Amino acid sequence: MARPRKILNCLVCCVPITHAHMGVDSCRACGVFYRRTLKLKYRLECTCGGKDITRKDKIVSCRKCRFEKMRELVNRATAGEITCVVDVTSITNLHAVTLHC
């Protein structure tokens, strides 16, 4: 009998995700946005006045707030404040390794 899969949400934009990106529970879109913003050194300006407006029809309405959320999560993960527990059901079957955060 298969174990029920835990439903996770992106900690930045709250969309359902199947696995973590950048070491935290984030969707691929937020991870790519974060990496691209760092690499290309975009200058972002807050458009929401610091109210962190999140809408269900859009990922995150303010790009600077989205970037700041992701940066905080990545910093916490690299500082060891966020940890993942490895659940190994079978040592011989590498596909059985899952991460629960």
Side-chain angles (χ1 to χ4, degrees):
M1 184 168 160
R3 187 185 306 177
R5 186 172 233 177
K6 185 177 180 181
I7 298 173
L8 302 172
N9 288 324
C10 175
L11 296 174
V12 179
C13 66
C14 301
V15 299
I17 59 172
T18 56
H19 58 277
H21 292 275
M22 307 264 320
V24 295
D25 289 345
S26 67
C27 66
R28 185 172 184 272
C30 287
V32 169
F33 169 76
Y34 178 76
R35 281 194 309 268
R36 186 178 298 137
T37 301
L38 285 176
K39 182 179 179 181
L40 299 177
K41 300 178 183 174
Y42 287 140
R43 183 175 172 212
L44 302 174
E45 293 184 21
C46 185
T47 59
C48 70
K51 295 179 183 175
D52 190 26
I53 300 169
T54 305
R55 297 182 184 164
K56 294 199 184 256
D57 58 334
K58 294 182 181 179
I59 294 177
V60 174
S61 59
C62 178
R63 293 170 60 101
K64 182 165 176 85
C65 289
R66 179 183 186 190
F67 177 78
E68 293 298 328
K69 273 183 167 181
M70 189 68 182
R71 179 166 55 182
E72 178 186 347
L73 290 170
V74 170
N75 288 342
R76 286 177 54 202
T78 57
E81 293 178 23
I82 300 173
T83 59
C84 293
V85 177
V86 178
D87 178 18
V88 181
T89 57
S90 172
I91 300 297
T92 58
N93 185 0
L94 293 179
H95 297 292
V97 176
T98 58
L99 294 176
H100 301 285
C101 295

